[in-house]
Amino acid sequence: MARERQLSRRSLLGGAAAGAVGLAAVSAGPAAAATSRTVDVAIVGGGIAGLTAARDLVAGGRTVAVLEARDRVGGRVVNLKLPGGGYTEGGGEFIGPTQDRIKALADSLGVATFTTYNTGDNLLYKDGKRTPYATGGLLGSVPPVDAAGLANAAIVQSELDSMAAQVPVDAPWTAPKAAEWDKQTFESWLNAKAVIPSAKFLLDVACTSIFSAQPRELSLLYVLYYIAAAGNESTAGTLERLTDTAGGAQESRFVGGSQQVPIKLAATLGDRVVLSAPVRSITGAGGAYVVTADGITVTATRVVVALPPPLAARITYDPPLPAARDQLTQRMPMGSIGKAVAVYDTPFWRADGLNGQAVSDSGVVRSTFDNSPPDASYGALMGFIEADEMRAYDAAGEAEVRAAVLADYANYFGDKAKNPTSFVLQRWDNEGFSRGGPVAYAPPGVLTEYGAALRKPVDGIHWAGTETSTFWTGYMDGAVRSGERAAKEVLAALG
């Protein structure tokens, strides 16, 4: 699988060529000629969170160095190069209403959006039966299971939204029933509430689609916090906003692929961004830190660590981090996720009146989207491989995964799906500097015992990354918000 290492004209779906200017200034590897730097702030991680923090710190008059372990920027946001030309998204992809900060960032960089293809029927594949269904009726995007299941699921969804409304997004561990909710899994709660099997199916699919984790793995309090965070300062979060396409988190995509945002943002920072520089240690306290990475050492007054908690834990800290922070990072695993994209000459499913979105109770891929470019010059079906299904295929060869995915696509969209012109696969579990996605989640007991350490600075070390955001945690918008918040903390501390 080829991943984007540099910007080229061929990569620019929709003519987003403006981002090419300045990218050459980003270091293409370890800084061989400049093995040390002294700056105000060292930033660990060149994803959207770290780059956003760097942008704001530079705007505030501070010097920065961004150290990125990979040979590209973007973190869990990456464009996958297609053999026939063009790109598709291998990681974070969609944005929707109330995701104001990622939209503002994209607008400032000249990265346009287009509406996710949503014309035609969705598909439900359940018990081996394929059922098309309209999304514009009374049920909206809810798959048409039996009436009893729909009624039960509606009641459960309403109750989840009501409970989520009681959870403060900046401190979910302070919710009135936080202790009660955090001592149980989402599954144990669902088993008591979703008593109709088809309702349990709908909520299980929603869970794995959102978290790339099984209900048994998640704290109920964490799920409620995640729902509460699916909004902004003026709009309450809802489960529906997390799961919907139109009006929801999957409403729009970026022209040229989502990695256009971090690529163009990195270009504005020039050689402040150093690639292929995994950070190994952070040493110091009280305003003097030495950050040691492969090929470069940075001395700084403050440090922003913009990594998921379990990856931040792999850095050696001297002095050691407080126990609460270290215990937190030991208890927040990454979800298990992959994306499989099959490319065809045309989006043939559209001629059949389908929008490319399927939900299934079986197979390796249990939810799909139409990932075709805005001009439909070729067709692309994207499938999520998540949670138990991803773990089952982590060690499989790509040919085995491809065969399983295409069998699912044929079940959903017919025999034409068996013969793509190309196929690309991104398995985040096997990505060395991610080890899963889309987010590090909290099992029972974590938020109430250790949640306060999630954003709390440790002396001059500050924490960013989508997991630390109060709104849209787990999403690109949350990453932007976290970078903005960390930059404000640092600027206030430096005076």
Side-chain angles (χ1 to χ4, degrees):
M1 175 197 62
R3 273 176 284 156
E4 185 167 31
R5 288 185 168 85
Q6 61 183 0
L7 200 60
S8 66
R9 286 180 184 155
R10 194 175 184 188
S11 75
L12 300 171
L13 301 177
V21 178
L23 187 65
V26 178
S27 300
T35 57
S36 64
R37 297 186 189 183
T38 299
V39 295
D40 294 325
V41 187
I43 298 171
V44 182
I48 290 177
L51 295 172
T52 298
R55 174 203 64 180
D56 288 2
L57 288 165
V58 170
R62 294 298 175 174
T63 57
V64 305
V66 180
L67 303 176
E68 167 53 45
R70 297 177 175 88
D71 60 358
R72 61 169 181 83
V73 294
R76 284 165 277 176
V77 176
V78 63
N79 288 352
L80 305 179
K81 186 177 180 180
L82 300 175
Y87 288 83
T88 192
E89 298 91 342
E93 174 175 350
F94 302 104
I95 69 167
T98 74
Q99 295 188 8
D100 312 311
R101 302 313 303 151
I102 182 65
K103 184 62 166 61
L105 174 59
D107 288 347
S108 73
L109 296 168
V111 181
T113 60
F114 66 101
T115 302
T116 303
Y117 190 81
N118 198 37
T119 301
D121 289 345
N122 283 28
L123 280 176
L124 170 65
Y125 188 82
K126 189 173 186 296
D127 301 324
K129 181 182 178 183
R130 178 178 174 275
T131 305
Y133 64 98
T135 61
L138 292 175
L139 299 179
S141 60
V142 179
V145 297
D146 57 276
L150 288 172
N152 188 193
I155 291 170
V156 173
Q157 177 174 317
S158 178
E159 187 168 356
L160 285 168
D161 286 345
S162 177
M163 295 161 67
Q166 303 172 49
V167 177
V169 293
D170 58 343
W173 47 90
T174 66
K177 295 185 178 180
E180 175 186 338
W181 292 339
D182 203 32
K183 70 181 181 182
Q184 60 185 302
T185 65
F186 185 40
E187 178 154 40
S188 64
W189 185 86
L190 279 180
N191 286 340
K193 299 290 183 176
V195 295
I196 306 297
S198 55
K200 181 66 161 50
F201 157 71
L202 292 176
L203 290 154
D204 282 349
V205 169
C207 177
T208 55
S209 297
I210 294 166
F211 300 100
S212 299
Q214 302 295 147
R216 68 176 184 270
E217 300 175 286
L218 300 160
S219 158
L220 173 61
L221 177 63
Y222 181 76
V223 171
L224 297 175
Y225 154 66
Y226 214 83
I227 294 170
N232 59 17
E233 292 78 0
S234 60
T235 307
T238 65
L239 179 59
E240 186 176 28
R241 191 173 298 115
L242 286 168
T243 58
D244 276 0
T245 301
Q250 288 68 235
E251 184 173 79
S252 299
R253 297 168 59 198
F254 290 109
V255 174
S258 51
Q259 199 188 3
Q260 287 291 307
V261 175
I263 285 173
K264 290 190 173 187
L265 182 53
T268 70
L269 295 167
D271 63 4
R272 298 179 182 92
V273 181
V274 182
L275 303 179
S276 300
V279 170
R280 307 302 182 181
S281 66
I282 299 174
T283 303
Y289 291 90
V290 176
V291 181
T292 304
D294 290 2
I296 184 169
T297 298
V298 176
T299 302
T301 304
R302 294 268 160 170
V303 179
V304 175
V305 178
L307 301 176
L311 295 185
R314 299 183 183 190
I315 297 171
T316 299
Y317 299 85
D318 184 15
L321 296 176
R325 171 70 196 186
D326 196 72
Q327 292 285 321
L328 171 80
T329 61
Q330 293 180 48
R331 286 165 165 78
M332 289 190 74
M334 302 297 290
S336 298
I337 187 171
K339 292 179 78 172
V341 182
V343 179
Y344 306 88
D345 289 333
T346 64
F348 62 84
W349 51 92
R350 297 184 185 181
D352 296 331
L354 302 175
N355 62 16
Q357 296 174 43
V359 174
S360 176
D361 67 347
S362 60
V364 60
V365 168
R366 303 200 177 186
S367 63
T368 68
F369 283 86
D370 182 328
N371 253 42
S372 308
D375 63 1
S377 54
Y378 58 84
L381 281 174
M382 181 274 286
F384 285 108
I385 311 174
E386 300 182 283
D388 284 351
E389 285 66 50
M390 186 69 265
R391 289 187 281 263
Y393 280 87
D394 277 340
E398 185 164 329
E400 182 181 351
V401 180
R402 183 182 190 275
V405 168
L406 294 181
D408 289 339
Y409 289 178
N411 284 335
Y412 309 152
F413 301 105
D415 286 347
K416 290 180 182 178
K418 294 179 179 179
N419 300 300
T421 57
S422 60
F423 181 90
V424 291
L425 176 67
Q426 175 73 20
R427 288 187 276 188
W428 288 101
D429 295 22
N430 296 342
E431 180 80 13
F433 295 109
S434 292
R435 305 321 308 252
V439 66
Y441 63 86
V446 175
L447 287 180
T448 48
E449 289 295 324
Y450 306 105
L454 189 58
R455 286 184 298 276
K456 184 179 180 181
V458 176
D459 200 1
I461 302 174
H462 301 255
W463 310 105
T466 189
E467 287 84 2
T468 70
S469 183
T470 54
F471 289 107
W472 287 109
T473 184
Y475 290 76
M476 290 182 284
D477 190 75
V480 176
R481 289 173 182 270
S482 77
E484 292 173 340
R485 186 258 311 149
K488 288 178 182 176
E489 289 176 1
V490 171
L491 289 171
L494 294 178

